[in-house]
């Protein structure tokens, strides 16, 4: 079960959004435990109800439609007790409430465990089976361990409803505040443009190939394209950077040399691996090595290596939207899970006024470049549901490390006054 748990958590961490996370959980847990049903009920704080948010085995049309009050049903009892409940025939329990439209009448065995993060109840994870029987201790332990592992992931995805509050209630809810750390001081107000990873390295399978020469040639072609892209990005930022910051792009290029990442990848291809698999292996090993380093500056290099890996994979796959096709509005605030120097160069410099990164710190190359360019930046906003804020108005406070999504007119005016005061003291500063 431990290996199964590890694989599930790995897949969850690679999922791009909350919906995908929940889908992975219910599918994998249902399969791992060989049950007929696995469902997740999450608390909607605004409505004060448990909402069925994902299921494998119940009627999928009921997802998002059926709900329970916080003290209703066995699910409500699990939340109130904050402990698992294991029933051999749930329908005979005094607290059982049948949720119409789910088709759960035919299921008897029931095991539910609370999903708790930092003593806050997020929801309940449930498995059900047609048989009348109690789940054994190992199955219960697996469910408890699973909920503990997943609680942090779900919390960071704003599983308690704040993603919905941002994406669906922006007309009524203002001043959603998120905390990070300052990467570069200053204030910026503008629409969010979310830049997503170019390709998913974690999703690349191992595969053997026969024509090694052709595979090496394919990789070298992708490598040449990435080199050209990095040089183009470096040139686009050259006027706004000092020589020492411009050298960061030379570092990127050197990392692609034959005696560095590229050489290792080619060696793996010559051993019989297809280019994408070799790329995933080498990038993964280097990312892990840098991520474990004690020095915070060196630890941040994992982000640069991951970015290069994604760019090479994109060229190998020849798929996905081109970054050059993204439309950047005036006063763009660039948002990403992990900002990289190359991402900065993709945005026309006259339109870029702020940078916002879910992960990373002031030691990242992106933050270093932001300070050199004088672009207000906030890093490490780990609770921000960044995939749901595309196009929304954002206030980025690089002094305090705070970010406000869908700010109220009063708050916007307050920050505009700050920007105006700053511009008066520094006439050449862009607002």
């Amino acid at each position: 079960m431990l290996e199964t748990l590890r694989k599930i958590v790995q897949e969850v961490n690679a999922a791009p959004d909350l919906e995908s996370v929940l889908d992975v959980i219910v599918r994998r847990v249902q399969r791992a435990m060989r049950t007929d049903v696995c469902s997740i009920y999450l608390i909607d704080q605004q409505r004060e109800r448990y909402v069925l948010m994902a299921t494998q085995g119940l009627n999928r049309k009921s997802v998002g439609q059926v709900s329970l009050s916080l003290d209703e049903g066995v699910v409500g009892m699990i939340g109130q007790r904050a402990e698992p409940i294991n029933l051999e025939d749930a329908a005979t329990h005094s607290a059982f409430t049948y949720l119409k439209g789910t088709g759960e009448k035919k299921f008897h065995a029931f095991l539910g465990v609370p999903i708790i993060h930092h003593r806050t109840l997020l929801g309940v994870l449930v498995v059900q089976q047609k048989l009348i029987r109690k789940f054994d201790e190992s199955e219960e332990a697996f469910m408890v361990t699973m909920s503990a592992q997943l609680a942090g992931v779900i919390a960071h995805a704003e599983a308690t409803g704040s993603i919905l509050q941002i994406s669906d209630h922006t007309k009524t809810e203002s001043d959603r505040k998120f905390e990070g750390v300052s990467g570069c001081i200053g204030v910026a107000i503008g629409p969010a443009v979310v830049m997503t990873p170019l390709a998913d390295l974690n999703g690349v399978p191992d595969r053997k190939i026969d024509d090694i020469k052709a595979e090496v040639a394919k990789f070298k072609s992708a490598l040449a394209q990435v080199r050209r892209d990095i040089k183009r990005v470096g040139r686009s930022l050259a006027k706004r950077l000092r020589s020492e910051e411009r050298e960061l792009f030379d570092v990127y290029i050197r990392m692609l040399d034959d005696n560095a990442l590229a050489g290792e990848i080619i060696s793996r291809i010559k051993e019989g691996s297809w280019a994408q698999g070799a790329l995933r292996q080498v990038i993964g090993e280097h990312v892990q090595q840098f991520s474990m380093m004690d020095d915070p500056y060196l630890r941040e290099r994992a982000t640069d290596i991951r970015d290069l890996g994604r760019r090479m994979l994109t060229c190998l796959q020849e798929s996905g939207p081109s970054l050059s096709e993204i439309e950047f509005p005036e006063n763009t605030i660039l948002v990403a899970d992990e900002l990289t120097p190359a991402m900065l160069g993709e945005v026309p410099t006259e339109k870029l006024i702020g940078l916002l990164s879910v992960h990373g710190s002031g030691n990242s190359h992106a933050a270093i470049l932001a300070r050199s360019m004088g672009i207000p930046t906030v890093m490490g906003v780990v609770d921000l549901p960044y995939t749901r804020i595309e196009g929304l108005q954002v206030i980025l406070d690089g002094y305090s490390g705070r970010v406000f999504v869908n700010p109220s007119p009063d708050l916007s005016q307050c920050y505009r006054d700050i920007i105006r005061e700053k511009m008066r003291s520094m006439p050449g500063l862009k607002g």
Side-chain angles (χ1 to χ4, degrees):
M1 276 293 191
L2 285 176
E3 179 62 17
T4 301
L5 175 66
R6 185 186 67 79
K7 288 182 178 178
I8 294 174
V9 172
Q10 225 174 24
E11 192 172 347
V12 164
N13 287 334
D17 52 36
L18 178 63
E19 185 178 351
S20 302
V21 166
L22 300 185
D23 183 60
V24 167
I25 296 169
V26 294
R27 285 189 294 105
R28 297 305 187 204
V29 171
Q30 184 259 349
R31 186 185 303 173
M33 294 189 63
R34 295 183 175 87
T35 60
D36 297 310
V37 174
C38 179
S39 305
I40 295 176
Y41 298 83
L42 296 183
I43 296 177
D44 185 326
Q45 297 289 5
Q46 287 191 335
R47 296 165 59 194
E48 295 187 343
R49 295 184 70 83
Y50 286 100
V51 180
L52 177 64
M53 293 298 292
T55 187
Q56 183 76 7
L58 297 183
N59 183 358
R60 286 185 174 272
K61 291 182 179 178
S62 60
V63 171
Q65 303 301 312
V66 300
S67 63
L68 295 157
S69 64
L70 297 185
D71 58 357
E72 186 179 5
V74 181
V75 168
M77 184 176 288
I78 293 168
Q80 288 180 322
R81 293 182 178 181
E83 61 184 29
I85 291 182
N86 189 350
L87 304 172
E88 62 179 20
D89 190 359
T92 63
H93 193 279
S94 59
F96 179 78
T97 299
Y98 171 65
L99 292 172
K100 188 177 179 181
T102 61
E104 67 173 340
K105 271 185 178 177
K106 57 188 174 184
F107 304 110
H108 298 281
F110 177 103
L111 172 59
V113 298
I115 303 171
I116 299 172
H117 181 71
H118 291 171
R119 300 184 182 179
T120 298
L121 180 69
L122 304 179
V124 175
L125 175 65
V126 172
V127 288
Q128 294 170 272
Q129 208 158 8
K130 291 178 181 177
L131 293 174
I132 296 177
R133 63 112 174 173
K134 269 206 168 186
F135 290 93
D136 63 34
E137 288 184 4
S138 66
E139 291 171 314
E140 187 169 327
F142 175 79
M143 286 281 283
V144 170
T145 306
M146 174 57 64
S147 71
Q149 291 289 326
L150 298 173
V153 178
I154 295 175
H156 285 166
E158 294 292 307
T160 54
S162 54
I163 280 180
L164 294 178
Q165 289 165 10
I166 285 181
S167 61
D168 297 342
H169 302 291
T170 53
K171 291 182 180 178
T172 57
E173 183 172 354
S174 298
D175 300 348
R176 289 284 302 162
K177 183 177 76 173
F178 299 91
E179 300 279 352
V181 296
S182 174
C184 179
I185 61 171
V187 171
I189 304 175
V193 175
V194 180
M195 192 170 281
T196 54
L198 299 168
D200 180 16
L201 280 166
N202 294 323
V204 174
D206 288 328
R207 187 175 296 164
K208 294 295 182 181
I209 45 98
D210 296 321
D211 194 341
I212 291 175
K213 187 175 180 180
E215 201 68 14
V216 169
K218 185 189 299 183
F219 172 71
K220 286 185 175 179
S221 175
L223 190 65
Q225 180 60 52
V226 173
R227 284 196 179 107
R228 287 194 293 270
D229 288 346
I230 296 299
K231 287 177 181 177
R232 173 182 57 79
V233 166
R235 286 194 299 270
S236 72
L237 292 176
K239 292 181 180 179
R240 298 188 65 177
L241 298 175
R242 297 192 302 266
S243 59
E244 53 265 41
E245 278 85 24
R246 290 199 295 270
E247 288 175 1
L248 291 177
F249 292 94
D250 294 332
V251 172
Y252 258 47
I253 297 296
R254 286 198 296 273
M255 287 167 68
L256 299 174
D257 287 345
D258 287 345
N259 60 352
L261 292 175
E264 292 184 46
I265 294 166
I266 290 172
S267 295
R268 299 289 175 97
I269 295 173
K270 289 179 177 178
E271 291 171 4
S273 172
W274 71 319
Q276 294 185 33
L279 174 67
R280 189 209 72 225
Q281 295 165 18
V282 172
I283 294 297
E285 289 167 6
H286 281 269
V287 166
Q288 184 176 21
Q289 289 170 6
F290 276 96
S291 297
M292 296 173 64
M293 290 183 176
D294 293 331
D295 186 283
Y297 178 82
L298 292 176
R299 200 160 53 237
E300 287 289 346
R301 301 296 66 76
T303 298
D304 301 331
I305 293 170
R306 200 158 30 228
D307 180 55
L308 285 173
R310 288 167 176 164
R311 288 174 182 274
M312 284 188 277
L313 182 59
T314 298
C315 290
L316 283 169
Q317 293 177 335
E318 296 181 345
S319 63
S322 168
L323 291 174
S324 61
E325 295 174 3
I326 298 176
E327 290 188 14
F328 295 98
E330 295 296 326
N331 300 323
T332 287
I333 292 182
L334 187 64
V335 182
D337 184 36
E338 283 186 306
L339 277 173
T340 65
M343 286 181 180
L344 273 63
E346 300 290 350
V347 188
T349 55
E350 71 276 7
K351 292 185 176 181
L352 182 63
I353 65 163
L355 299 169
L356 175 54
S357 185
V358 175
H359 294 98
S361 71
N363 292 310
S364 72
H365 276 161
I368 292 170
L369 291 184
R371 288 193 290 273
S372 177
M373 297 164 71
I375 301 174
T377 301
V378 176
M379 309 289 290
V381 194
V382 294
D383 287 326
L384 179 75
Y386 70 102
T387 60
R388 306 301 177 93
I389 68 170
E390 174 76 31
L392 296 184
Q393 195 76 357
V394 170
I395 293 176
L396 187 152
D397 185 342
Y399 296 102
S400 66
R402 294 193 182 107
V403 174
F404 299 90
V405 176
N406 192 41
S408 65
D410 288 345
L411 185 64
S412 296
Q413 187 57 52
C414 176
Y415 273 97
R416 289 190 192 284
D417 291 342
I418 293 174
I419 293 173
R420 270 195 293 271
E421 286 299 317
K422 187 70 175 176
M423 290 178 69
R424 285 196 191 103
S425 61
M426 300 175 65
L429 185 68
K430 179 181 177 180

